[in-house]
Amino acid sequence: PKGLYQKLKRVRVEQAGPLSNAALADRLAAPEGGLAILNNRRQARAVFELIRDVPNACHLSTNMTARHRREVLEKVRGQLASGAPVRLVSTSLIEAGVDVSFPVVYRALAGLDSIVQAAGRCNRNAESAEPGRVVVFEPAAEEAGQYKPPEELRQLAETARSVLTAFAEDPLSLEAINA
């Protein structure tokens, strides 16, 4: 497992601390773009509204029909393949079974399993020799009450927070996962 871990390592995890929706939108609007994965549909929609007019800004949500989600993903994949900086705001639906790869992924604090899944959408095919960036953040204090995750997600996030603190250098290491 250690050899495979080293061979397949394509990302590094950073901790950004609290980010307001506006600060997250500013990061997404940067030249490299990125994927933001949020813990609820309301916050995903609010962040998307802040970047709606930025080129290649897209939104994914379980509120969309399956057909609409497929259309958005086809558009995103095409833009990524052309080298365009894409800005995608999504709920956790992007984390499983979706083959996309961004240079940077912003993930709202959730369980470590969700952070690992988000990392799978970053530098997925080793497009860059440099590790991709997975940036874990929490909602800013003034917005946190508006975007509360479900209770079971809060418990998982608390556990992840302790692992992120104890293994800040590499929270996706085998030791961190075992912990």
Side-chain angles (χ1 to χ4, degrees), residues 58-60 68-76 88:
C58 299
H59 176 246
L60 273 179
H68 190 196
R69 287 192 304 261
R70 274 192 307 275
E71 290 171 357
V72 170
L73 284 169
E74 286 175 20
K75 177 182 172 186
V76 165
L88 178 60

Side-chain angles (χ1 to χ4, degrees), residues 95-119:
E95 290 178 342
V98 179
D99 186 8
V100 293
S101 184
F102 287 81
V104 61
V105 173
Y106 299 94
R107 180 61 172 98
L109 183 66
L112 200 55
D113 58 328
S114 294
I115 295 168
V116 169
Q117 285 289 350

Side-chain angles (χ1 to χ4, degrees), residues 31-64:
E32 70 182 342
L35 166 63
I37 305 172
L38 298 151
N39 290 331
N40 66 57
R41 293 181 300 231
R42 249 184 34 238
Q43 188 174 18
R45 187 66 177 171
V47 171
F48 174 70
E49 290 301 327
L50 293 171
I51 64 164
R52 175 185 284 281
D53 297 327
V54 177
N56 301 325
C58 299
H59 176 246
L60 273 179
S61 169
T62 53
N63 278 345
M64 297 173 171

Side-chain angles (χ1 to χ4, degrees), residues 16 30 91 122:
T91 59
C122 185

